[in-house]
Every structure is written in C-alpha cells, then in structure tokens.
C-alpha cells in the first residue's frame, strides 16, 4: 500500500549519475540510472547480461541504492525513509515524559540515521573493485573527500549534537559554527557569531539544525555560508523535524538549496513552535531551562578555538 501511495504521488527512487548531485554544482541534472559505459572496467565477462546488471544485487529481495524520499510538492525537499525503529526513536523525542537520558540517546541515533541519508545524497563516483574470492568484482561508489570537499556547519547550540555525530564518523571533516539567537518576542533571528573554514569555496556544505520552524535562522545561516563563497546548490540543510512554513520560507529564498528532514510536522502554533514538535531541543538535550542562567554573546566577541573544528 505504501509503495502504491508513493507511486501515485510521483515519488521516484534512483541513484545519481557519476559525479552528479543529489546536491552539488550539477544540481540541475536529474537523478538518473548510471549508464552502461560508466562501468566498462570489470565488465568484460558480462557481455551477455543486461546493461544495468551492475545496479542489481545478487539476491532478488535486495534493492538498488536509493536516496531519501522526495516530499510531494517540492523538487528539492526530502524526508528520511521511515522504519519501525525510526518511528520508535521519533516517539522518544516527541514524548514529553522522556527522560533527558532517553531524549539524548534518541537524538543521537536519529542524527546518525539522518546524516547517513545526507551522505547518501552526495555525488558519488562508481568504481569496480576485486574481492578476495575467485577474482570476482564488485562495483562500489567513492564519496567526496570529507577533508577537502565537505564541510559541516552547525547553528549553535542545539545543532552541535548533530555535528558531533558527523565528526565522530569523519574526524577530518571541518566544522563551521554560526550562533543565531531567535528573539522570542518577534521570532526573528539575530546573528551573533560565525566562524567558518577559510577555504569554503568549492566545498559542499551540510548545514545542521535540529528544528526548522520559521526558517529565519536557517535563511540567515545560508546567507552567511553563501557570503563565504559557497554556491547555493552546494548546500544541504538537515533537520530532525520541520514545519511546512519554515521549509517554504527557505525554498522561496533559496530555491536551489536542498533540504532533508527526519519528519515533516503539521505546522506552527501562535508562538511559532513546531506542532506536534519535540519541544525545545537544546534545553531537553543539554538539561537547561530558558530562564536559567542565559548568557548572550555580543557580536564580535571571541568564540570557539578554530583548531578543534579545522577552521583556522
């Protein structure tokens, strides 16, 4: 039934052609089945097989690699593929009675799932390798060099937990930091601080922010990243939950940016909070309260050391 629904909605699954995007400079190129000529190496013994044989696994129940589901009505907005386990974890995040320990555990695991989806949306280069058995070959995909071609940008402080997941997987990836505080009276973003790697030009940026509500903070962060020389189509926004209002705002301001969310929620309430939402992610993750010991950093104030995040 779910497959039929997806087909009716026009959702298509596929994998990118060599070095094309799921997000990247060749973003205008639609996802397409890899051409037969792309795998000339290692195919000498396969002349009798269909041209697309290398896409198929060896067992009939396995499927070819796919990217995150496309959200109906959007060209460049995607949602994480749902499993029973992912729904369980999202329930832990949404449950107001979850302990901090349960919330942190679920947040980290969902972040891993999301960032795996995000990495799967990078442009990949196909390559044939030989296995240790009988000289058999296997077609793999090489991802971009995290140190030279990628960058994670985090919107403090809530998104730091998501960036930490990425740096555990890829310690060499540089991390940029942007501090944007939402004015609780006007719901408008206020930029306080930014620290990005010096060589941002030519990199693909994964911008992480767990909640995409009004879109104001993300739009401000995108503007800062673009000023550093990153192309709009080379930015992928990754959020755990999002409201349609925020997604629409980001897409309207930056039509070539790609967005990946864990789940798309119903919308915003009169206080501009996501509903059903997960509450204040930062407070629940770090065990703090909004009114307890807030410290504001004035624009231009000193910040985190660049050496830790590769921004010097």
């Amino acid at each position: 039934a779910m497959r039929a629904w997806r087909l009716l909605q026009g959702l298509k699954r596929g994998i990118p052609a060599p070095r094309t995007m799921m997000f990247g400079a060749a973003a205008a190129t639609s996802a397409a089945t890899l051409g037969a000529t792309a795998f000339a190496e290692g195919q000498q013994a396969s002349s009798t097989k269909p041209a697309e044989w290398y896409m198929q696994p060896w067992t009939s129940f396995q499927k070819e690699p796919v990217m995150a589901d496309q959200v109906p009505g959007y060209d460049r907005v995607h949602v994480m593929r749902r499993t029973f386990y992912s729904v369980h974890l999202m329930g832990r995040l949404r449950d107001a009675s979850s302990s901090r320990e349960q919330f942190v555990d679920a947040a980290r695991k969902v972040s891993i799932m999301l960032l795996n989806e995000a990495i799967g949306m990078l442009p990949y280069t196909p390559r044939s390798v030989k296995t240790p058995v009988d000289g058999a070959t296997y077609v793999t995909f090489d991802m971009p060099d995290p140190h030279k071609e990628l960058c994670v940008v985090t919107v403090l402080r809530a998104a730091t937990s998501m960036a930490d997941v990425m740096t555990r997987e890829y310690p060499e990836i540089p991390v940029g930091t942007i501090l944007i505080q939402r004015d609780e009276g006007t719901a408008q973003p206020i930029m306080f601080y930014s620290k990005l790697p010096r060589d941002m030009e030519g990199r693909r940026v994964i911008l992480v922010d767990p909640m995409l509500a009004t879109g104001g903070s993300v739009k401000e962060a995108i503007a800062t990243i673009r000023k550093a020389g990153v192309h709009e189509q080379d930015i992928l926004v990754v959020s755990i939950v999002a409201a349609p209002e925020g997604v629409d705002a980001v897409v309207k301001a930056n039509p070539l940016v790609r967005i990946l969310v864990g789940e798309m929620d119903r919308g915003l309430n009169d206080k501009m909070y996501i509903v059903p939402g997960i509450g204040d992610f930062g407070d629940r993750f770090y065990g703090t309260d909004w009114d307890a010991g807030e410290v504001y950093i004035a624009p231009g104030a000193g910040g985190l050391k660049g050496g830790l995040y590769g921004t010097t």
Side-chain angles (χ1 to χ4, degrees):
M2 181 61 71
R3 181 180 294 274
W5 181 85
R6 286 174 175 158
L7 291 173
L8 289 172
Q9 295 296 325
L11 299 179
K12 298 180 179 179
R13 293 177 179 267
I15 55 178
R19 302 304 293 179
T20 61
M21 83 80 284
M22 289 306 139
F23 74 101
T29 304
S30 61
T33 300
L34 292 167
T37 56
F39 287 95
E41 179 185 358
Q43 291 191 49
Q44 292 82 358
S46 62
S47 58
T48 60
K49 298 180 181 179
E52 295 81 12
W53 72 271
Y54 47 80
M55 287 182 56
Q56 303 302 324
W58 286 276
T59 49
S60 60
F61 62 86
Q62 290 180 288
K63 298 179 180 179
E64 68 275 9
V66 294
M67 63 183 291
D69 290 332
Q70 186 175 343
V71 177
Y74 298 93
D75 291 332
R76 303 177 64 78
V77 180
H78 303 263
V79 65
M80 182 175 70
R81 286 166 286 176
R82 301 185 88 202
T83 66
F84 290 107
Y85 185 51
S86 70
V87 173
H88 161 75
L89 292 174
M90 291 299 300
R92 280 286 180 89
L93 291 177
R94 295 184 186 279
D95 189 344
S97 67
S98 291
S99 66
R100 181 190 170 206
E101 181 180 6
Q102 291 173 324
F103 185 90
V104 169
D105 179 68
R108 285 175 173 161
K109 289 172 179 173
V110 169
S111 295
I112 291 172
M113 291 179 172
L114 264 176
L115 292 171
N116 281 338
E117 293 270 27
I119 291 295
M121 296 171 74
L122 293 169
Y124 280 71
T125 302
R127 179 169 61 93
S128 179
V129 297
K130 287 187 177 181
T131 77
V133 183
D134 294 340
T137 59
Y138 179 83
V139 176
T140 185
F141 296 91
D142 291 333
M143 65 174 285
D145 185 333
H147 177 64
K148 297 179 180 179
E149 300 181 61
L150 303 179
C151 177
V152 173
V153 175
T154 174
V155 180
L156 289 177
R157 71 180 164 146
T160 304
S161 62
M162 299 179 71
D164 288 346
V165 168
M166 179 66 82
T167 55
R168 281 199 298 270
E169 295 293 323
Y170 302 101
E172 67 273 34
I173 193 169
V175 179
T177 303
I178 297 176
L179 175 58
I180 301 173
Q181 190 83 48
R182 186 172 87 159
D183 187 306
E184 291 301 304
T186 65
Q188 295 301 309
I190 302 173
M191 169 70 75
F192 284 95
Y193 171 86
S194 69
K195 180 69 172 180
L196 301 175
R198 295 178 181 177
D199 58 343
M200 288 293 284
E201 292 186 29
R203 291 185 182 272
R204 291 180 173 85
V205 173
I206 300 175
L207 173 61
V208 292
D209 192 358
M211 297 186 296
L212 177 51
T214 65
S217 296
V218 169
K219 287 195 300 179
E220 190 74 24
I222 290 173
T224 301
I225 294 167
R226 293 183 64 183
K227 286 178 183 177
V230 178
H231 296 296
E232 180 180 324
Q233 61 266 31
D234 288 339
I235 301 172
L236 171 65
V237 177
V238 179
S239 297
I240 293 177
V241 294
E245 295 92 331
V247 170
D248 289 341
V250 173
V251 169
K252 182 177 180 180
N254 306 276
L256 295 182
V257 165
R258 196 167 289 273
I259 300 174
L260 170 66
V261 302
E263 287 187 348
M264 184 81 82
D265 278 17
R266 188 165 64 241
L268 301 175
N269 64 12
D270 57 356
K271 294 183 179 180
M272 299 299 153
Y273 294 159
I274 301 174
V275 180
I278 55 178
D280 189 302
F281 185 95
D283 283 348
R284 296 186 71 188
F285 190 93
Y286 293 107
T288 56
D289 294 320
W290 174 257
D291 295 326
E294 285 185 42
V295 177
Y296 287 92
I297 302 175
L304 297 173
K305 296 295 182 182
L308 176 62
Y309 294 116
T311 56
T312 54

